[in-house]
Amino acid sequence: MALTHGLRIPCADGDAWISDDPRERARAAPLCRFCPVRSQCAEAGESTRERFGVWAGRDLTPFTRKPGRPRGKKPEEKETSR
């Protein structure tokens, strides 16, 4: 509907909003700031319980670690050398 009324919808130009790459989604999210259908987008994401992609400027994709990537130790677990 917005496209038929000549409104500029940032996500209509690419797939960054649903990319598997979190850096790409992070670059796309701020582009939603001035989107004319941002509130409708937020409502759609909530009503369908979306769990992936950028909706109304928010990345709803859960953070997951890459396999094999070691976790860092918490500061209190690190050994101190004296």
Side-chain angles (χ1 to χ4, degrees), residues 10 16-17 23-34 38 54-59:
W17 286 261
R23 295 168 297 190
E24 208 171 336
R25 291 190 311 271
R27 287 189 297 268
L31 300 176
C32 299
R33 185 177 302 129
F34 300 108
R38 186 174 177 179
V54 176
W55 290 81
R58 290 184 50 222
D59 188 354

Side-chain angles (χ1 to χ4, degrees), residues 40-62:
Q40 293 93 330
C41 180
E43 289 173 15
E46 288 176 21
S47 70
T48 58
R49 297 185 178 154
E50 291 294 336
R51 296 292 172 246
F52 184 81
V54 176
W55 290 81
R58 290 184 50 222
D59 188 354
L60 302 180
T61 310

Side-chain angles (χ1 to χ4, degrees), residues 2 18 20 23 41 48 55 58 63 74 76 78 81:
I18 56 170
D20 289 333
R23 295 168 297 190
C41 180
T48 58
W55 290 81
R58 290 184 50 222
F63 174 76
K74 293 179 183 175
E76 62 272 4
K78 290 184 179 178
S81 57

